[in-house]
Amino acid sequence: MQRIVEFESIERFDHRTGVLVCGFGGAGASAALEARRAGAAVMVLERFSGGGGSTMLSACEMYLGGNGGTRLQRELGIEDSSENFYNYLMACFGEYADEARVRAYVDGAAEHFDWVEGLGVPYKRGFFAGRDVVALTGDSLQYTGNERSFPFSQIATPVPRGHLPADSGHDGGKTLMSVLLKRVAESGTDIRHDARVNALLRDRGGRIRGVVARIDNRNVHILATQGVILATGGFIMNEEMTRRHIPEYASYCTRHGNPGDTGDGIQLGIAAGGHAINMGQAFVGVAHYPPAQLTCGIFVNEQGQRFINEDIYLSRLGHFASVQTNHRIFLFIDNEHFSRPDYHETTRIVAVGETVAEVEQEAGLPPGSLAQTVDYYNRHAASGEDPLFHKAREWLKPITTAPFALVDWSLDTLKPTCFTLGGLDTLPTGEVLTADRDVIPGLYAAGRTAAGIPRTAAGYASGMSVGDATFFGRMAGRQAAAHP
Ligand SMILES: Cc1cc2nc3c(=O)[nH]c(=O)nc-3n(C[C@H](O)[C@H](O)[C@H](O)COP(=O)(O)OP(=O)(O)OC[C@H]3O[C@@H](n4cnc5c(N)ncnc54)[C@H](O)[C@@H]3O)c2cc1C
């Protein structure tokens, strides 16, 4: 497919606007709104008959904090310094982190909460202290990542930063997007549905000046005098791209997103000279809670060895599971703490026994391996210690109540949910960069079309994608609108 068309070859434009936003999900709607507020003429093109994207499907947890705390955190008596927030995010993504982007996010996240709430998204002044992926109590603040677990708890003071629309549970995305789509419509933005962007118009000087979109079964040429913002989501629904960039996940994952996550924006950006980075990273959701009591079990690999502190966030477990032999892991648990997981129906009990040795033998683990692991774990758990992985005391209970079970949590059995974390390299302003990190004039990207704050499953926390998409969508909208 021809993804770049010479601007000078177009004789007549069907439409003309200032800022052209491609994709009407979380990032696109936020970009459109900010560009309008800055006074630009804005047009949005959405591939499907309605906006919302994956953001609409999400729980809309947003990971926010810093500046002493968001209004919600502060009203619940929780303080969150920018330094603490920064230290946490940098620890999450380590050498993968984009420091400039993290800094911009930390500086602006508290104001971003005011912006979202100010649009009319409801937040309840309630804190859920339990261990769950999404609070089902209606409360709007909770822990959503690895804040309370090793090593993160040693690097930054644990603070809850998951902001969830009130009384929405897993449907927070509908709450957010119904408000955002309405506000964009009210703003005077020209919104076109059933309009798939297929190519970028580039002039001989290298500036992006518009797009070619498929509307009503014909190619429509649209001039954008200020900038084009690519906000078309990630590429988890693109078979070829996932096989190339995340082959191990592509082979067993459940693709988590909307059908439009086919990587269009990333491919358009690459065709324009943009550099795609972090393409081998994805969120991998291996939910081992709720119920929280499952955290008292231990995970072992095919060698009968522990490899992680079990009190971590679910995608950190996904990452560590993906690097075990054959991606196979098992939960060893006793009768006192056994339960079926709420989010996975595919877990399978591999072995049950009155002793650890019986379970080990029935499961075919190397002789003595599981027995040795459990013996070592129990000996230290009895005194509230986990010398190997530093699981928090709260979850350290000797595994002693027979019968015992070994439950298959292997990735090919579990089929964890995945979405992509790789995309176009951009400045925090959304400006798309070449491999030499030069700005491509007139081209911006945000949301999962860009490589954002979340860079690895190992450091991801619920809320980092929608928080990033809406925040950096706004940045891109403002930056594009600032162009004369
Ligand atoms: C079930 C589920 C729950 C989740 N829960 C959370 C959560 O609680 N917190 C969190 O942070 N993350 C969550 N995520 C991840 C998060 O929702 C997404 O990563 C994020 O919303 C992506 O936002 P976006 O704006 O980049 O893309 P989207 O919201 O997907 O928007 C992209 C839009 O672009 C359109 N489009 C695509 N191609 C074209 C084209 N060529 N031309 C025009 N339009 C096009 C698409 O149709 C879509 O409407 C969840 C994901 C899922 C699937």
Side-chain angles (χ1 to χ4, degrees):
M1 184 185 290
Q2 188 188 1
R3 297 193 182 278
I4 297 292
V5 173
E6 196 180 79
F7 173 74
E8 288 80 0
S9 71
I10 309 301
E11 288 172 3
R12 196 183 69 81
F13 289 97
D14 299 278
H15 302 288
R16 179 195 169 99
T17 190
V19 175
L20 185 59
V21 179
C22 310
F24 203 15
S30 303
L33 218 39
E34 284 294 86
R36 275 301 291 146
R37 285 191 178 178
V42 181
M43 180 183 268
V44 174
L45 301 178
E46 164 57 43
R47 172 179 174 167
F48 294 128
S49 304
S54 297
T55 313
M56 182 89 111
L57 298 176
S58 80
C60 190
E61 210 142 31
M62 284 200 210
Y63 201 79
L64 304 169
N67 276 310
T70 61
R71 188 183 300 273
L72 178 65
Q73 287 173 315
R74 282 186 278 110
E75 287 180 12
L76 288 167
I78 291 158
E79 202 197 317
D80 192 8
S81 75
S82 294
E83 192 193 351
N84 193 46
F85 190 18
Y86 174 86
N87 289 343
Y88 180 70
L89 290 176
M90 292 303 286
C92 285
F93 301 113
E95 54 276 21
Y96 290 85
D98 177 340
E99 203 187 334
R101 183 179 296 267
V102 169
R103 183 55 74 193
Y105 191 70
V106 164
D107 288 348
E111 181 277 333
H112 188 57
F113 175 77
D114 291 340
W115 182 81
V116 176
E117 192 170 45
L119 292 176
V121 180
Y123 287 91
K124 186 163 153 185
R125 270 52 188 165
F127 170 51
F128 171 72
R131 178 160 162 79
D132 203 334
V133 184
V134 168
L136 300 178
T137 53
D139 297 317
S140 284
L141 190 68
Q142 67 172 125
Y143 286 97
T144 67
N146 298 299
E147 302 88 356
R148 293 179 285 190
S149 61
F150 186 88
F152 305 95
S153 56
Q154 316 290 301
I155 298 166
T157 306
V159 168
R161 300 195 181 94
H163 290 60
L164 203 61
D167 300 314
S168 297
H170 287 280
D171 291 329
K174 294 189 186 71
T175 308
L176 172 85
M177 286 313 298
S178 62
V179 171
L180 262 186
L181 298 181
K182 188 160 174 272
R183 295 284 171 259
V184 178
E186 291 165 354
S187 74
T189 297
D190 184 353
I191 304 165
R192 308 282 168 134
H193 292 112
D194 299 307
R196 184 175 184 178
V197 179
N198 286 326
L200 295 171
L201 300 176
R202 182 171 60 193
D203 71 18
R204 289 187 190 126
R207 183 174 179 86
I208 300 303
R209 290 189 173 269
V211 306
V212 183
R214 195 78 184 157
I215 304 177
D216 291 336
N217 211 24
R218 72 182 187 92
N219 287 340
V220 171
H221 300 97
I222 306 171
L223 173 68
T225 56
Q226 290 169 290
V228 172
I229 300 176
L230 301 171
T232 63
F235 63 91
I236 195 63
M237 295 299 172
N238 185 315
E239 189 70 32
E240 197 269 326
M241 284 178 82
T242 50
R243 291 230 172 269
R244 179 149 37 104
H245 296 290
I246 47 169
E248 74 281 33
Y249 300 142
S251 63
Y252 51 65
C253 77
T254 302
R255 292 160 196 267
H256 206 43
N258 84 92
D261 277 339
T262 48
D264 287 13
I266 297 173
Q267 295 184 58
L268 288 166
I270 292 171
H275 187 42
I277 59 169
N278 208 45
M279 294 293 279
Q281 299 292 330
F283 164 91
V284 195
V286 176
H288 54 303
Y289 60 89
Q293 71 197 57
L294 291 174
T295 311
C296 295
I298 56 172
F299 277 103
V300 297
N301 55 21
E302 277 191 348
Q303 291 78 26
Q305 306 284 310
R306 256 180 102 216
F307 54 88
I308 192 76
N309 41 324
E310 293 78 9
D311 55 349
I312 33 99
Y313 175 67
L314 58 96
S315 77
R316 187 165 174 82
L317 178 61
H319 165 77
F320 279 91
S322 73
V323 295
Q324 302 305 311
T325 309
N326 297 320
H327 311 138
R328 303 202 70 201
I329 64 167
F330 307 90
L331 180 73
F332 179 75
I333 195 152
D334 65 3
N335 199 37
E336 189 184 341
H337 298 104
F338 177 84
S339 178
R340 285 292 186 180
D342 287 6
Y343 292 133
H344 290 293
E345 289 163 7
T346 50
T347 51
R348 185 177 60 88
I349 296 172
V350 203
V352 179
E354 290 301 314
T355 64
V356 182
E358 266 178 56
V359 173
E360 180 187 285
Q361 195 182 14
E362 191 180 328
L365 294 175
S369 60
L370 184 64
Q372 194 179 45
T373 296
V374 175
D375 177 59
Y376 182 89
Y377 178 82
N378 281 350
R379 232 176 326 121
H380 293 285
S383 52
E385 305 284 331
D386 174 15
L388 286 184
F389 299 107
H390 311 285
K391 180 153 121 180
R393 252 166 205 263
E394 184 186 356
W395 309 109
L396 278 173
K397 312 263 189 294
I399 305 172
T400 49
T401 313
F404 304 100
L406 197 70
V407 188
D408 190 353
W409 231 272
S410 303
L411 298 188
D412 55 352
T413 309
L414 209 65
K415 309 222 175 302
T417 51
C418 287
F419 61 85
T420 56
L421 299 178
L424 297 170
D425 191 15
T426 64
L427 293 176
T429 50
E431 292 160 285
V432 175
L433 299 170
T434 66
D436 292 331
R437 300 211 98 210
D438 294 325
V439 168
I440 299 176
L443 190 63
Y444 304 82
R448 296 290 57 78
T449 305
I453 291 283
R455 295 271 163 131
T456 64
Y460 192 89
S462 285
M464 287 186 177
S465 190
V466 175
D468 167 275
T470 51
F471 180 85
F472 288 103
R474 291 177 63 202
M475 298 271 281
R478 280 203 293 267
Q479 186 73 15
H483 186 79

